[in-house]
């Protein structure tokens, strides 16, 4: 048999169910709380904000498998199953005994994994009779996915795009508009939340936390309008498990099983997606894979944040979420990995980290771009700045395998390509990029105000 | 069996040979001529410019099948086989009885079909001991492909990028640099050809013809350096037949055969690639498929040019090529489909057009973007401005099928995505794009100077 580079599934192999890890966790994630009453949030408490089925998925801790609606699965066929690729050329460049695989989620029309959750979110809202949606986006990966998903299921969409990304990545704004969405730079004057932060900090470049506040506020004030979130929440992680479920079958085709699984980490969507299906075999004791969440050193909630109840947005419109957080007022540095500029981690990953079932590592911006360029020059694909965090971590693991002279099977998620992030590569190649440090004092200060 | 959206081949199905249509044409293309002696060009005459095997492929009119080197086929696995997709959502939007399929060549790391020829061109040059390459690029699709191919096989590359595209599409410049290539806006001061045209026309925005002159001149003056071209030539069309050869197998999987095959047309590379493998069954009389080359109305060499011997570049460094041409001094309008801004057609397609074996149609810019947005909103993929010419033509054919109430199987080549061309979509959505007309007088004037 000839040497295989890619491991491909057919459309018939697209999973028919998502995997709900909370049903099988020994220590369940703590519930979200109502900020006023401190009572646990129930599905119906979320109905004003989210479609009913999404609200039920959010609090479901009993069913390990949730059916994927046929209409969503049909749309998944536009780009799924995605390839699993052996990074043979990267291995050669590193001269490592490690086998490196990546799941290539960059093949969606907008270039990232985000469509995996955008499609079901639009679908369930359409079912409920929702006509308008609002959402936020950092680098624009989620906003573009949501724009196409909304168009597909016939919904209107308004996207609050973090201002620094709106300026750094204008093509993602164009993409959203081409798919028919309305795009507003955040903070904006269109909401109370936006007006307040613009007034308090006139040069504020925005954050995901602020954009979420604005999107929620607009949704609450608009008839027949709901809100959609691209990460952090349990139902988003649920939809993203399609990544790992496919990867599991593909690793079988490759006749290997990962010793390490790696994803970059913003709020948790792609890390959860690649990890949870493999993690379930750790929870039964059958496997002993390591899972590494790779976060930016400038926004280190997992490695240096505190586990506590916190708001998911800057203004405090969301329920309280049990999570590792830097504080909901944390203003991350303007790194190019805009999708990772979020103060908190989803409650499932937070619980898994507390229980030692997953690990986290923090990577500085320059190391991530160095890894990104090496990956581009060997494997061809220019990775998104977010995904370079996973690649840098995979390279560290591969180098360690070389030092130890050990074979090791590494799997990482290539969450997206960077074709629309080329200004970041320009800056890197010109030597104009820097690392952004955050001091313990800064973190303590924001958390003290929480 | 469930409804299929995509028809996928496995890596083992990647063709092992390219198809050389000239071996089976009843009327062979006329030979290229030496401009001084007017003698037919032989392979060895091309050795100073191209790798030896590429030169032999260029003049080979006897072998219908040429082996793909194993090292090239290995690299093809990075992105091949590419999907054949049924454009079900576009069909619904058009309410047409036609079945529309597209071959998705946008899935390569740089987003177009150009890597199909860049890889073998770099490979054969490496075999010959070439250390440096020069090339030109219009919109940047060819230059990005050549940049990665050169990096892959360890060659240095300098790319002359048409100035208007250098400004319109800065991310493609960044991509080439990320893959390690040097990029120069053309016309430049670095060559005699560039200096002359800058002096004669200080505001000249460049053309493929001028960029080719500059690249050839630099190659001729640099030790151990050869030149690479991304379209027009026979060996480029040869490499691109991998598109149609895969599509042929995939149409069999879909249990259909195309009544119409469509490709956009600049110099001929992607149109040839999708068409020739199907066309061979027309030449035997076994099938009666129509083949439509879709060119921009502002650069209409096939529909309004003249068949004659002409230079492939603006200065006149190339051999004389028998082709439909607008004259090698033709300066096309600054349309966004930069890859189609070329004055001439490859000699094979030119001969096929003379013999009535293929057709051509010219499309105005606004119709192409209208088609591109409809395609994006239905099938998800934002097409390259070049590819929108093929889509617009497919839509015309599908609408005609509706009017006639006939089933019709349409296949077009999606030669690339437009993620890096979003400024063009911005302009279109803002109503700032126009059509560019070229008068008969202008064409006659340039041809008279030929």
């Amino acid at each position: 048999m000839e040497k295989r580079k890619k491991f491909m599934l057919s459309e018939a192999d697209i999973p028919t169910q998502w995997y709900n890890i909370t049903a099988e966790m020994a220590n369940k994630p703590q519930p979200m709380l109502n900020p006023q009453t401190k009572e646990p949030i129930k599905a119906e408490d979320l109905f004003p904000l989210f479609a009913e089925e999404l609200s039920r998925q959010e609090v479901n801790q009993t069913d390990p498998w949730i059916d994927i609606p046929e209409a969503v699965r049909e749309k998944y066929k536009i780009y799924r199953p995605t390839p699993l690729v052996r990074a043979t050329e990267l291995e050669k460049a590193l001269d490592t005994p490690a086998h490196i695989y990546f799941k290539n989620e960059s093949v969606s029309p907008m270039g990232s994994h985000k469509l995996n959750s955008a499609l079901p979110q639009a679908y369930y809202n359409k079912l409920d009779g929702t006509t308008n949606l609002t959402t936020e986006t950092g680098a624009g990966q989620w906003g573009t996915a949501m724009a196409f998903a909304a168009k597909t299921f016939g919904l209107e969409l308004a996207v609050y795009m973090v201002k620094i990304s709106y300026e750094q990545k204008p093509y993602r704004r164009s993409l959203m508009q081409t798919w028919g969405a309305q795009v507003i730079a955040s903070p904006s004057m269109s909401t109370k939340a936006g007006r307040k932060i613009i007034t308090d900090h006139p040069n504020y470049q925005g954050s995901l936390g602020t954009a979420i506040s604005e999107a929620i506020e607009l949704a609450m004030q608009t008839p027949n309008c709901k809100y959609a979130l691209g990460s952090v929440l349990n139902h988003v992680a649920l939809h993203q498990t399609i990544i790992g479920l496919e990867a599991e079958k593909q690793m079988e085709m490759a006749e290997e099983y990962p010793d390490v699984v790696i994803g970059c980490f913003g709020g948790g969507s792609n890390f959860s997606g690649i990890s949870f299906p493999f993690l379930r075999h750790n929870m039964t004791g059958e496997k002993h894979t390591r899972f590494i969440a790779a976060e930016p050193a400038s926004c280190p909630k997992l490695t240096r944040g505190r586990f506590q109840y916190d708001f998911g947005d800057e203004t405090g419109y969301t329920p309280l979420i049990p999570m590792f957080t830097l504080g909901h007022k944390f203003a991350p540095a303007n790194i190019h990995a805009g999708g990772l500029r979020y103060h908190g981690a989803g409650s499932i990953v937070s619980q898994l980290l507390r229980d030692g079932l997953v690990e986290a590592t923090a990577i500085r911006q320059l190391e991530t771009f160095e890894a990104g360029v090496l990956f581009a020059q060997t494997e061809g694909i220019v990775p998104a700045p977010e995904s370079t965090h996973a690649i840098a971590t995979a390279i560290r693991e591969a180098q360690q395998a070389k030092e130890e002279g050990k074979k090791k099977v590494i799997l990482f998620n290539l969450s997206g390509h960077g074709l629309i992030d080329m200004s970041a590569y320009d800056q890197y190649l010109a030597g104009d990029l820097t690392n952004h440090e955050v001091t313990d004092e800064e973190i303590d200060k924001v958390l003290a105000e929480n």
Side-chain angles (χ1 to χ4, degrees), chain A:
Chain A
M1 203 178 81
E2 64 177 38
K3 207 170 73 185
R4 290 170 73 172
K5 173 78 180 161
K6 299 190 300 302
F7 299 86
M8 304 293 293
L9 300 168
S10 74
E11 288 180 352
D13 298 317
I14 296 175
T16 55
Q17 297 181 311
W18 295 299
Y19 174 59
N20 176 18
I21 194 173
T22 58
E24 303 193 328
M25 287 167 69
N27 299 328
K28 309 280 184 205
Q30 296 175 23
M32 291 197 287
L33 300 180
N34 180 313
Q36 275 78 49
T37 65
K38 301 289 190 301
E39 289 293 313
I41 291 284
K42 295 184 296 293
E44 46 270 40
D45 299 330
L46 297 171
F47 289 176
L49 208 53
F50 300 117
E52 296 193 3
E53 178 57 22
L54 295 171
S55 303
R56 282 188 285 269
Q57 290 174 359
E58 185 60 29
V59 299
N60 185 332
Q61 297 191 340
T62 48
D63 303 316
W65 298 98
I66 309 275
D67 286 346
I68 301 176
E70 197 45 41
V72 171
R73 203 164 163 276
E74 274 303 310
K75 294 295 176 183
Y76 277 160
K77 293 181 183 174
I78 290 177
Y79 63 107
R80 303 208 73 86
T82 65
L84 179 81
V85 187
R86 173 91 183 263
T88 44
E89 306 310 302
L90 178 62
E91 289 172 16
K92 277 182 216 159
L94 296 172
D95 188 27
T96 175
H99 291 190
I100 308 176
Y101 293 86
F102 63 94
K103 180 70 168 161
N104 186 1
E105 290 291 307
S106 79
V107 298
S108 81
M110 53 294 306
S112 86
H113 69 294
K114 291 292 190 185
L115 196 51
N116 299 335
S117 185
L119 287 169
Q121 290 197 44
Y123 169 77
Y124 288 123
N125 271 290
K126 186 67 180 180
L127 268 195
D128 281 5
T130 306
T131 56
N132 293 58
L133 282 174
T134 69
T135 195
E136 80 297 324
T137 197
Q141 298 272 27
W142 168 249
T144 50
M146 203 59 230
F148 174 63
K151 173 58 70 179
T152 291
F153 287 108
L155 299 162
E156 292 300 317
L157 177 71
V159 184
Y160 285 93
M161 183 172 189
V162 174
K163 193 176 162 202
I164 180 71
S165 292
Y166 188 91
E167 285 159 9
Q168 281 175 341
K169 302 168 200 292
Y171 286 9
R172 288 226 175 78
R173 170 188 54 71
S174 313
L175 272 174
M176 290 184 256
Q177 291 167 334
T178 299
W179 281 311
Q182 186 194 347
V183 188
I184 311 107
S186 168
S188 77
M189 294 292 283
S190 66
T191 64
K192 269 193 288 184
R195 283 192 295 275
K196 179 162 189 333
I197 200 157
I198 286 179
T199 309
D200 294 351
H201 308 278
N203 292 319
Y204 190 54
Q205 293 294 294
S207 72
L208 276 165
T210 301
I212 293 171
S213 295
E214 294 206 88
I216 292 177
E217 192 182 316
L218 183 64
M220 295 296 90
Q221 290 170 354
T222 306
N224 216 16
C225 181
K226 297 262 166 84
Y227 164 69
L229 183 63
S231 190
V232 184
L233 295 175
N234 301 345
H235 68 269
V236 181
L238 173 75
H239 304 153
Q240 293 293 355
T241 58
I242 196 164
I243 302 172
L245 292 168
E246 285 183 5
E248 201 186 348
K249 292 188 204 173
Q250 289 164 310
M251 290 300 304
E252 272 173 38
M253 293 168 72
E255 299 178 0
E256 303 222 67
Y257 193 90
D259 298 306
V260 192
V261 174
I262 300 164
C264 64
F265 197 92
S269 79
N270 96 88
F271 173 75
S272 302
I274 187 86
S275 296
F276 292 175
F278 291 99
L279 188 51
R280 78 185 199 273
H281 304 299
N282 273 29
M283 294 193 304
T284 61
E286 182 197 347
K287 298 285 185 185
H288 303 280
T289 300
R290 291 169 56 215
F291 299 89
I292 309 178
E295 66 183 5
S298 57
C299 195
K301 62 232 150 202
L302 293 175
T303 53
R304 295 168 67 196
R306 195 179 296 161
F307 181 81
Q308 62 178 48
Y309 270 99
D310 197 3
F311 288 108
D313 68 316
E314 187 262 340
T315 301
Y317 291 147
T318 70
L320 287 166
I321 306 171
M323 59 182 180
F324 279 92
T325 179
L326 297 163
H328 64 281
K329 299 279 185 193
F330 183 78
N334 293 336
I335 57 169
H336 282 277
L340 309 185
R341 293 175 72 250
Y342 185 69
H343 65 277
S347 62
I348 303 175
V349 171
S350 291
Q351 185 62 45
L352 293 169
L353 184 65
R354 294 177 80 198
D355 291 341
L357 287 162
V358 304
E359 308 166 31
T361 189
I363 320 236
R364 290 189 175 83
Q365 183 158 259
L366 288 175
E367 182 179 344
T368 68
F369 276 91
E370 187 185 356
V373 170
L374 178 62
F375 187 76
Q377 294 193 347
T378 50
E379 297 296 324
I381 304 167
V382 176
E386 291 82 3
S387 312
T388 60
H389 291 71
I391 298 171
T393 306
I395 290 173
R396 286 183 184 179
E397 290 291 323
Q399 283 167 336
Q400 195 193 20
K402 184 182 176 182
E403 280 160 27
E404 294 171 0
K406 273 191 205 162
K407 198 199 143 196
K408 186 196 283 188
V409 179
I410 299 168
L411 168 64
F412 72 86
N413 192 39
L414 183 73
S415 56
H417 66 62
L419 293 180
I420 308 192
D421 304 281
M422 292 313 299
S423 64
Y425 282 89
D426 267 356
Q427 283 188 30
Y428 172 73
L429 294 173
D432 290 343
L433 274 198
T434 53
N435 289 324
H436 296 268
E437 307 296 337
V438 53
T439 64
D440 290 338
E441 290 68 32
E442 287 171 286
I443 294 174
D444 290 343
K445 182 160 172 279
V446 179
L447 281 171
E449 288 169 10
N450 238 25

